[in-house]
């Protein structure tokens, strides 16, 4: 019995050693896959950018997700920063055909099946780049500074180094909002910025899009 017990202990220790070794290698494999997907996304960005620019749009992002042998390529496009409104469904539909053709003719593609998803950022997109802020001039934004209290106000201007807004001062419920003095914030002092939804702006954008679709959730899926 003691021999059997010792054999079982040895087998258990060996199994745990193998398992431990696999667990140690798992993060490495995951990191390698993420690096591979990021490199592929950057390569596709270079290939697809001219197609996006032909439609007078800006290529915001390319992201790739993998499930088994299947890929989902998510392309985010936006209007130029000096344009108003949002990308309509008619534009999304037109560009999806050209982007799919560019991917199908890609000489470096490995022929794995893929779904091509195309969308516009929408008002929920975090404001992380100067062009994001410039596209939001005139809107109400929430700014979380690196230090200090959160500021909510209407974005008035964007410079090379920061923003200027008109703060909304706290008032009692039911009272008309009050505005404070113009406030300037440098990009380096801003931790996070987001656009606040206003019904007036949503109504304006609805009329700007001839198809009547909600511009902030425009999207298309184009399977291979």
């Amino acid at each position: 019995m003691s021999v059997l017990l010792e054999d079982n202990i040895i087998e258990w220790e060996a199994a745990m050693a193998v398992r431990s070794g696999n667990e140690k290698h798992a993060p490495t494999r995951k990191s390698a896959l993420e690096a591979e997907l990021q490199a592929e996304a950057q390569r596709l960005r270079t290939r697809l950018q001219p197609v996006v620019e032909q439609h007078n749009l800006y290529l915001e992002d390319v992201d790739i997700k993998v499930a088994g042998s299947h890929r989902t390529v998510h392309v985010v496009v936006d209007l130029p920063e000096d344009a108003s409104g949002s990308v309509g469904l008619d534009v999304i539909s037109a560009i999806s055909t050209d982007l799919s053709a560019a991917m199908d003719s890609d000489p470096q593609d490995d022929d794995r099946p893929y779904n091509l998803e195309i969308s516009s950022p929408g008002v929920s997109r975090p404001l992380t780049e100067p062009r994001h802020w410039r596209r939001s001039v005139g809107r109400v934004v929430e700014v979380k500074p690196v230090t200090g209290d959160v500021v909510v106000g209407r974005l008035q201007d964007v410079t090379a180094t920061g923003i200027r807004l008109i703060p909304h001062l706290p008032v009692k419920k039911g009272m008309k909002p009050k505005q404070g003095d113009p406030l300037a914030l440098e990009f380096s002092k801003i931790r996070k910025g987001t656009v606040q939804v206003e019904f007036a702006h949503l109504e304006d954008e609805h009329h700007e899009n001839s198809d009547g679709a909600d511009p902030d959730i425009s999207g298309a899926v184009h399977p291979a």
Side-chain angles (χ1 to χ4, degrees):
M1 293 296 291
S2 61
V3 174
L4 179 60
L5 180 59
E6 288 177 359
D7 288 343
N8 288 339
I9 291 175
I10 292 173
E11 291 177 359
W12 178 81
E13 289 178 341
M16 290 302 293
V18 171
R19 181 180 177 184
S20 177
N22 288 338
E23 289 175 350
K24 289 179 181 178
H25 290 296
T28 303
R29 289 196 297 269
K30 183 178 180 181
S31 298
L33 176 60
E34 290 176 350
E36 180 183 342
L37 292 179
Q38 289 177 2
E40 176 65 4
Q42 182 57 45
R43 188 188 70 80
L44 282 179
R45 184 185 183 97
T46 301
R47 179 169 181 80
L48 300 180
Q49 186 165 348
V51 180
V52 174
E53 291 176 348
Q54 288 175 4
H55 288 261
N56 296 318
L57 295 174
Y58 179 86
L59 180 56
E60 186 74 38
D61 191 27
V62 175
D63 183 60
I64 303 176
K65 302 294 184 185
V66 175
S69 61
H70 196 88
R71 295 172 295 165
T72 297
V73 180
H74 185 200
V75 179
V76 183
V77 297
D78 197 8
L79 293 175
E81 62 183 54
D82 58 350
S84 60
S86 300
V87 184
L89 282 178
D90 54 339
V91 179
I92 293 287
S93 178
I95 197 173
S96 67
T97 301
D98 292 345
L99 289 176
S100 181
M103 290 191 60
D104 290 343
S105 61
D106 184 358
Q108 298 184 49
D109 188 70
D110 57 9
D111 293 329
R112 285 184 298 168
Y114 70 91
N115 272 13
L116 177 61
E117 297 180 350
I118 304 164
S119 67
S120 59
V123 296
S124 60
R125 168 188 58 189
L127 305 174
T128 58
E129 299 179 17
R131 69 173 305 273
H132 297 162
W133 292 96
R134 284 191 286 267
R135 287 274 291 129
S136 301
V137 168
R139 289 186 177 275
V140 173
V141 297
E142 179 184 88
V143 182
K144 295 182 179 179
V146 176
T147 59
D149 298 329
V150 173
V151 180
V152 176
R154 192 166 300 281
L155 185 59
Q156 191 177 45
D157 188 27
V158 180
T159 67
T161 58
I163 65 171
R164 186 175 64 177
L165 54 78
I166 305 296
H168 289 178
L169 301 179
V171 295
K172 292 183 180 180
K173 188 176 181 180
M175 294 183 64
K176 186 177 180 179
K178 294 182 179 180
Q179 295 182 342
D181 296 328
L183 174 65
L185 293 169
E186 295 181 5
F187 289 128
S188 60
K189 303 295 179 61
I190 297 175
R191 180 166 59 89
K192 183 180 180 182
T194 52
V195 172
Q196 302 298 288
V197 176
E198 293 181 277
F199 289 109
H201 275 283
L202 290 179
E203 201 170 301
D204 292 343
E205 288 182 354
H206 177 79
H207 290 301
E208 287 176 2
N209 288 270
S210 58
D211 55 14
D214 184 345
D216 293 320
I217 55 173
S218 298
V221 178
H222 193 108

